[in-house]
Amino acid sequence: MMPVKTAMENPLHASAALTSVMARVRPHIRALSPYVPGEQPQGGGWIKLNTNENPYPPSPKVAPAVAAEIERLRLYPDPSSRRLREAIGRRFGHPADGVLIGNGSDDILNMITSVFASSPGVGHTVPSYSLYPVVAGLAGAAMVDIALDASLQLDVRALAECGASVFFLTSPNAPTGVGFPLSAIRTVLENSSAPLVVDEAYVDFGGESALPLLAEFPQLIVVRTFSKSYGLAGMRVGFALGHPEVIQMLDRVRDVYNVDRLAQAAALAAFEDVAYFNHCREAVIATRARVRGVLNQWGWFTYPSVANFLFTQPQHPGSGTGPAVAENLFQHLLKNRVLVRYFSQHPLTCGFLRVSIGKDVEMDHFLEITQQWLNNA
Ligand SMILES: *Cc1c(COP(=O)(O)O)cnc(C)c1O
């Protein structure tokens, strides 16, 4: 790395000029707390169960599809990702002009707040996906919180009446893995015409989808991603389904070439390989059930998960449960190069760890290291 000159040494960085530049940063950007992603270690030797990636590689059809695009990389990609939109529309019985493709679904969440975030703010449940406050903040909007209690039931009345200019509902929820029933989502839609975004990043692992409600409720936007169930987190492709007029508004704020050629080709190939997709998600679901069985045997409270992770409350024979216990196991796993996720910030999460479902051998290793920790009374 080049040594960085301090402001004192480098007249270009003279502090009066810097102060003047910084004073021009728009206040809502200055006030923003950036998103904190899970650790992405770049070396090998880690068992990575911290960011809910798929443990299996993408469909074998992806590599040739991507390779075939290489010589066309001199050309701009299709700005509207038309083939992918049509394939998604066909599969879900939805018009292609009601489908929007994003550079990851995070890109779509950002488009949604650009279009809909206004006073009194953007709604979400607490806890849920921690990116929502960031995209709301980029749009200069505040948050409207709907608190969940330990039952994790959705207070449909509070949600329908909260007045948020747009509401993000993660279902299945993160980091808990608990799905909200379609009947609850229907009740919200029947009682509020504000845009409701159902973020279904994890729905393919067993959740109930809100897609069947699209025909009835134009305020509903369903967001999905290729990052989890299709094993393409590194490619950055997500999509939204909604009423074509609403999708057209979101499309206005989309970067023109937001999804590159390789990503469009990879997503299409993965989407069309239904047999492989089903094989991988069934493997993840089976592993989830097995690991859950062991946690149950240990007597750990674990929320019923319909996602590709388990949210569990570690219990130690010596010290019981609680934030210190959860953090202690987190550190023990880390020392043994097993990465899981610990959310210390909220009373509903601080006694728990979120463990992504890996391959069977990875989960066996996780269980073994955890068993060591249990044995160290
Ligand atoms: C992982 C995740 C996403 C999305 O990701 P992209 O990789 O940007 O598609 C969206 N919402 C939730 C709740 C997630 O956990």
mmCIF file of all heavy atoms in Angstrom, residues 161-194:
data_model
loop_
_atom_site.group_PDB
_atom_site.id
_atom_site.type_symbol
_atom_site.label_atom_id
_atom_site.label_comp_id
_atom_site.label_asym_id
_atom_site.label_seq_id
_atom_site.Cartn_x
_atom_site.Cartn_y
_atom_site.Cartn_z
ATOM 1 N N GLU A 161 -52.151 0.256 10.049
ATOM 2 C CA GLU A 161 -52.476 1.614 10.499
ATOM 3 C C GLU A 161 -51.250 2.481 10.760
ATOM 4 O O GLU A 161 -51.386 3.618 11.216
ATOM 5 C CB GLU A 161 -53.331 1.530 11.779
ATOM 6 C CG GLU A 161 -54.723 0.975 11.491
ATOM 7 C CD GLU A 161 -55.521 0.674 12.756
ATOM 8 O OE1 GLU A 161 -55.017 0.926 13.873
ATOM 9 O OE2 GLU A 161 -56.660 0.186 12.601
ATOM 10 N N CYS A 162 -50.055 1.979 10.467
ATOM 11 C CA CYS A 162 -48.849 2.709 10.891
ATOM 12 C C CYS A 162 -48.582 3.968 10.062
ATOM 13 O O CYS A 162 -47.825 4.833 10.475
ATOM 14 C CB CYS A 162 -47.626 1.797 10.876
ATOM 15 S SG CYS A 162 -47.021 1.413 9.230
ATOM 16 N N GLY A 163 -49.212 4.065 8.890
ATOM 17 C CA GLY A 163 -49.090 5.295 8.104
ATOM 18 C C GLY A 163 -47.810 5.422 7.300
ATOM 19 O O GLY A 163 -47.570 6.455 6.664
ATOM 20 N N ALA A 164 -46.955 4.394 7.302
ATOM 21 C CA ALA A 164 -45.693 4.463 6.539
ATOM 22 C C ALA A 164 -45.991 4.702 5.060
ATOM 23 O O ALA A 164 -46.993 4.204 4.536
ATOM 24 C CB ALA A 164 -44.907 3.164 6.719
ATOM 25 N N SER A 165 -45.109 5.435 4.383
ATOM 26 C CA SER A 165 -45.340 5.725 2.964
ATOM 27 C C SER A 165 -45.110 4.479 2.111
ATOM 28 O O SER A 165 -45.633 4.361 1.005
ATOM 29 C CB SER A 165 -44.446 6.873 2.499
ATOM 30 O OG SER A 165 -43.093 6.490 2.537
ATOM 31 N N VAL A 166 -44.311 3.555 2.620
ATOM 32 C CA VAL A 166 -44.097 2.242 2.001
ATOM 33 C C VAL A 166 -43.631 1.339 3.131
ATOM 34 O O VAL A 166 -42.943 1.798 4.050
ATOM 35 C CB VAL A 166 -43.064 2.303 0.841
ATOM 36 C CG1 VAL A 166 -41.744 2.916 1.266
ATOM 37 C CG2 VAL A 166 -42.805 0.924 0.238
ATOM 38 N N PHE A 167 -44.052 0.059 3.100
ATOM 39 C CA PHE A 167 -43.682 -0.844 4.189
ATOM 40 C C PHE A 167 -42.903 -2.031 3.640
ATOM 41 O O PHE A 167 -43.314 -2.652 2.660
ATOM 42 C CB PHE A 167 -44.933 -1.359 4.930
ATOM 43 C CG PHE A 167 -44.617 -1.908 6.292
ATOM 44 C CD1 PHE A 167 -44.817 -1.136 7.426
ATOM 45 C CD2 PHE A 167 -44.095 -3.186 6.438
ATOM 46 C CE1 PHE A 167 -44.497 -1.626 8.701
ATOM 47 C CE2 PHE A 167 -43.768 -3.682 7.696
ATOM 48 C CZ PHE A 167 -43.975 -2.899 8.832
ATOM 49 N N PHE A 168 -41.774 -2.346 4.277
ATOM 50 C CA PHE A 168 -40.984 -3.531 3.920
ATOM 51 C C PHE A 168 -41.267 -4.641 4.920
ATOM 52 O O PHE A 168 -41.000 -4.491 6.113
ATOM 53 C CB PHE A 168 -39.485 -3.222 3.957
ATOM 54 C CG PHE A 168 -39.013 -2.360 2.823
ATOM 55 C CD1 PHE A 168 -38.586 -1.055 3.035
ATOM 56 C CD2 PHE A 168 -38.993 -2.850 1.523
ATOM 57 C CE1 PHE A 168 -38.136 -0.256 1.986
ATOM 58 C CE2 PHE A 168 -38.547 -2.068 0.466
ATOM 59 C CZ PHE A 168 -38.120 -0.766 0.690
ATOM 60 N N LEU A 169 -41.778 -5.749 4.419
ATOM 61 C CA LEU A 169 -42.028 -6.912 5.265
ATOM 62 C C LEU A 169 -41.159 -8.065 4.764
ATOM 63 O O LEU A 169 -41.304 -8.507 3.620
ATOM 64 C CB LEU A 169 -43.510 -7.297 5.191
ATOM 65 C CG LEU A 169 -43.920 -8.460 6.089
ATOM 66 C CD1 LEU A 169 -43.823 -8.069 7.568
ATOM 67 C CD2 LEU A 169 -45.355 -8.899 5.778
ATOM 68 N N THR A 170 -40.245 -8.515 5.597
ATOM 69 C CA THR A 170 -39.385 -9.645 5.226
ATOM 70 C C THR A 170 -40.117 -10.926 5.605
ATOM 71 O O THR A 170 -40.406 -11.149 6.777
ATOM 72 C CB THR A 170 -38.053 -9.593 6.003
ATOM 73 O OG1 THR A 170 -37.623 -8.250 6.127
ATOM 74 C CG2 THR A 170 -36.988 -10.418 5.314
ATOM 75 N N SER A 171 -40.444 -11.752 4.607
ATOM 76 C CA SER A 171 -41.149 -12.996 4.902
ATOM 77 C C SER A 171 -40.689 -14.099 3.957
ATOM 78 O O SER A 171 -40.863 -13.976 2.747
ATOM 79 C CB SER A 171 -42.661 -12.800 4.766
ATOM 80 O OG SER A 171 -43.326 -13.983 5.173
ATOM 81 N N PRO A 172 -40.071 -15.145 4.501
ATOM 82 C CA PRO A 172 -39.707 -15.374 5.892
ATOM 83 C C PRO A 172 -38.832 -14.245 6.439
ATOM 84 O O PRO A 172 -38.060 -13.648 5.697
ATOM 85 C CB PRO A 172 -38.912 -16.685 5.834
ATOM 86 C CG PRO A 172 -39.292 -17.346 4.554
ATOM 87 C CD PRO A 172 -39.686 -16.272 3.627
ATOM 88 N N ASN A 173 -38.981 -14.006 7.752
ATOM 89 C CA ASN A 173 -38.267 -12.886 8.340
ATOM 90 C C ASN A 173 -36.786 -13.216 8.548
ATOM 91 O O ASN A 173 -36.390 -14.371 8.607
ATOM 92 C CB ASN A 173 -38.926 -12.504 9.673
ATOM 93 C CG ASN A 173 -38.592 -11.079 10.091
ATOM 94 O OD1 ASN A 173 -37.996 -10.313 9.329
ATOM 95 N ND2 ASN A 173 -38.977 -10.710 11.300
ATOM 96 N N ALA A 174 -35.988 -12.184 8.627
ATOM 97 C CA ALA A 174 -34.583 -12.299 8.993
ATOM 98 C C ALA A 174 -34.397 -11.408 10.225
ATOM 99 O O ALA A 174 -34.999 -10.344 10.275
ATOM 100 C CB ALA A 174 -33.701 -11.815 7.845
ATOM 101 N N PRO A 175 -33.610 -11.803 11.197
ATOM 102 C CA PRO A 175 -32.799 -13.018 11.211
ATOM 103 C C PRO A 175 -33.469 -14.228 11.852
ATOM 104 O O PRO A 175 -32.785 -15.176 12.200
ATOM 105 C CB PRO A 175 -31.606 -12.583 12.065
ATOM 106 C CG PRO A 175 -32.200 -11.660 13.089
ATOM 107 C CD PRO A 175 -33.345 -10.965 12.398
ATOM 108 N N THR A 176 -34.783 -14.219 11.974
ATOM 109 C CA THR A 176 -35.427 -15.277 12.757
ATOM 110 C C THR A 176 -35.773 -16.529 11.951
ATOM 111 O O THR A 176 -35.858 -17.612 12.509
ATOM 112 C CB THR A 176 -36.724 -14.740 13.378
ATOM 113 O OG1 THR A 176 -37.586 -14.302 12.310
ATOM 114 C CG2 THR A 176 -36.453 -13.573 14.311
ATOM 115 N N GLY A 177 -36.028 -16.365 10.644
ATOM 116 C CA GLY A 177 -36.406 -17.499 9.804
ATOM 117 C C GLY A 177 -37.887 -17.820 9.835
ATOM 118 O O GLY A 177 -38.341 -18.756 9.159
ATOM 119 N N VAL A 178 -38.638 -17.046 10.625
ATOM 120 C CA VAL A 178 -40.070 -17.324 10.775
ATOM 121 C C VAL A 178 -40.849 -16.693 9.616
ATOM 122 O O VAL A 178 -40.634 -15.533 9.282
ATOM 123 C CB VAL A 178 -40.583 -16.755 12.124
ATOM 124 C CG1 VAL A 178 -42.085 -16.925 12.254
ATOM 125 C CG2 VAL A 178 -39.868 -17.431 13.280
ATOM 126 N N GLY A 179 -41.741 -17.472 9.015
ATOM 127 C CA GLY A 179 -42.559 -16.955 7.921
ATOM 128 C C GLY A 179 -43.853 -16.349 8.449
ATOM 129 O O GLY A 179 -44.376 -16.795 9.465
ATOM 130 N N PHE A 180 -44.358 -15.327 7.763
ATOM 131 C CA PHE A 180 -45.665 -14.782 8.130
ATOM 132 C C PHE A 180 -46.718 -15.441 7.241
ATOM 133 O O PHE A 180 -46.492 -15.608 6.040
ATOM 134 C CB PHE A 180 -45.684 -13.269 7.954
ATOM 135 C CG PHE A 180 -44.702 -12.557 8.842
ATOM 136 C CD1 PHE A 180 -43.635 -11.849 8.294
ATOM 137 C CD2 PHE A 180 -44.824 -12.619 10.223
ATOM 138 C CE1 PHE A 180 -42.720 -11.204 9.114
ATOM 139 C CE2 PHE A 180 -43.906 -11.978 11.057
ATOM 140 C CZ PHE A 180 -42.849 -11.263 10.500
ATOM 141 N N PRO A 181 -47.882 -15.806 7.818
ATOM 142 C CA PRO A 181 -48.882 -16.492 7.001
ATOM 143 C C PRO A 181 -49.501 -15.556 5.956
ATOM 144 O O PRO A 181 -49.618 -14.342 6.177
ATOM 145 C CB PRO A 181 -49.929 -16.946 8.023
ATOM 146 C CG PRO A 181 -49.677 -16.169 9.257
ATOM 147 C CD PRO A 181 -48.259 -15.692 9.227
ATOM 148 N N LEU A 182 -49.861 -16.150 4.837
ATOM 149 C CA LEU A 182 -50.464 -15.394 3.750
ATOM 150 C C LEU A 182 -51.734 -14.675 4.221
ATOM 151 O O LEU A 182 -52.026 -13.559 3.800
ATOM 152 C CB LEU A 182 -50.804 -16.375 2.616
ATOM 153 C CG LEU A 182 -51.043 -15.801 1.243
ATOM 154 C CD1 LEU A 182 -49.889 -14.929 0.801
ATOM 155 C CD2 LEU A 182 -51.271 -16.936 0.244
ATOM 156 N N SER A 183 -52.462 -15.305 5.133
ATOM 157 C CA SER A 183 -53.703 -14.701 5.628
ATOM 158 C C SER A 183 -53.403 -13.366 6.323
ATOM 159 O O SER A 183 -54.174 -12.407 6.199
ATOM 160 C CB SER A 183 -54.407 -15.663 6.588
ATOM 161 O OG SER A 183 -53.527 -16.018 7.632
ATOM 162 N N ALA A 184 -52.281 -13.286 7.041
ATOM 163 C CA ALA A 184 -51.924 -12.034 7.720
ATOM 164 C C ALA A 184 -51.591 -10.951 6.695
ATOM 165 O O ALA A 184 -52.002 -9.791 6.832
ATOM 166 C CB ALA A 184 -50.737 -12.268 8.660
ATOM 167 N N ILE A 185 -50.859 -11.334 5.662
ATOM 168 C CA ILE A 185 -50.479 -10.365 4.623
ATOM 169 C C ILE A 185 -51.733 -9.884 3.889
ATOM 170 O O ILE A 185 -51.880 -8.691 3.606
ATOM 171 C CB ILE A 185 -49.435 -11.002 3.674
ATOM 172 C CG1 ILE A 185 -48.135 -11.256 4.460
ATOM 173 C CG2 ILE A 185 -49.182 -10.120 2.461
ATOM 174 C CD1 ILE A 185 -47.094 -12.068 3.731
ATOM 175 N N ARG A 186 -52.646 -10.814 3.641
ATOM 176 C CA ARG A 186 -53.909 -10.440 2.998
ATOM 177 C C ARG A 186 -54.674 -9.411 3.851
ATOM 178 O O ARG A 186 -55.171 -8.416 3.347
ATOM 179 C CB ARG A 186 -54.774 -11.686 2.755
ATOM 180 C CG ARG A 186 -56.227 -11.376 2.407
ATOM 181 C CD ARG A 186 -57.042 -12.629 2.173
ATOM 182 N NE ARG A 186 -56.785 -13.204 0.858
ATOM 183 C CZ ARG A 186 -57.300 -12.719 -0.279
ATOM 184 N NH1 ARG A 186 -58.086 -11.656 -0.264
ATOM 185 N NH2 ARG A 186 -57.036 -13.303 -1.417
ATOM 186 N N THR A 187 -54.712 -9.648 5.153
ATOM 187 C CA THR A 187 -55.427 -8.731 6.037
ATOM 188 C C THR A 187 -54.808 -7.329 5.991
ATOM 189 O O THR A 187 -55.517 -6.325 5.966
ATOM 190 C CB THR A 187 -55.424 -9.256 7.489
ATOM 191 O OG1 THR A 187 -55.941 -10.590 7.472
ATOM 192 C CG2 THR A 187 -56.274 -8.404 8.402
ATOM 193 N N VAL A 188 -53.485 -7.268 5.965
ATOM 194 C CA VAL A 188 -52.824 -5.962 5.869
ATOM 195 C C VAL A 188 -53.256 -5.269 4.581
ATOM 196 O O VAL A 188 -53.631 -4.087 4.582
ATOM 197 C CB VAL A 188 -51.284 -6.117 5.899
ATOM 198 C CG1 VAL A 188 -50.599 -4.784 5.613
ATOM 199 C CG2 VAL A 188 -50.825 -6.683 7.240
ATOM 200 N N LEU A 189 -53.235 -6.006 3.480
ATOM 201 C CA LEU A 189 -53.571 -5.414 2.173
ATOM 202 C C LEU A 189 -55.037 -4.973 2.110
ATOM 203 O O LEU A 189 -55.361 -3.983 1.460
ATOM 204 C CB LEU A 189 -53.255 -6.420 1.054
ATOM 205 C CG LEU A 189 -51.759 -6.676 0.829
ATOM 206 C CD1 LEU A 189 -51.545 -7.958 0.031
ATOM 207 C CD2 LEU A 189 -51.097 -5.486 0.132
ATOM 208 N N GLU A 190 -55.892 -5.719 2.790
ATOM 209 C CA GLU A 190 -57.309 -5.350 2.793
ATOM 210 C C GLU A 190 -57.566 -4.084 3.606
ATOM 211 O O GLU A 190 -58.579 -3.432 3.431
ATOM 212 C CB GLU A 190 -58.150 -6.516 3.357
ATOM 213 C CG GLU A 190 -58.345 -7.618 2.327
ATOM 214 C CD GLU A 190 -58.951 -8.889 2.919
ATOM 215 O OE1 GLU A 190 -59.023 -9.002 4.167
ATOM 216 O OE2 GLU A 190 -59.327 -9.780 2.130
ATOM 217 N N ASN A 191 -56.617 -3.758 4.485
ATOM 218 C CA ASN A 191 -56.829 -2.624 5.387
ATOM 219 C C ASN A 191 -55.907 -1.438 5.144
ATOM 220 O O ASN A 191 -55.926 -0.472 5.902
ATOM 221 C CB ASN A 191 -56.707 -3.087 6.843
ATOM 222 C CG ASN A 191 -57.871 -3.977 7.231
ATOM 223 O OD1 ASN A 191 -58.973 -3.485 7.480
ATOM 224 N ND2 ASN A 191 -57.656 -5.277 7.229
ATOM 225 N N SER A 192 -55.066 -1.530 4.114
ATOM 226 C CA SER A 192 -54.179 -0.413 3.814
ATOM 227 C C SER A 192 -53.835 -0.426 2.327
ATOM 228 O O SER A 192 -53.525 -1.465 1.760
ATOM 229 C CB SER A 192 -52.888 -0.527 4.628
ATOM 230 O OG SER A 192 -51.917 0.337 4.084
ATOM 231 N N SER A 193 -53.902 0.754 1.712
ATOM 232 C CA SER A 193 -53.551 0.827 0.292
ATOM 233 C C SER A 193 -52.129 1.333 0.088
ATOM 234 O O SER A 193 -51.703 1.557 -1.038
ATOM 235 C CB SER A 193 -54.550 1.723 -0.447
ATOM 236 O OG SER A 193 -54.516 3.007 0.141
ATOM 237 N N ALA A 194 -51.369 1.514 1.180
ATOM 238 C CA ALA A 194 -49.971 1.942 1.030
ATOM 239 C C ALA A 194 -49.164 0.809 0.400
ATOM 240 O O ALA A 194 -49.471 -0.367 0.614
ATOM 241 C CB ALA A 194 -49.388 2.290 2.400
#
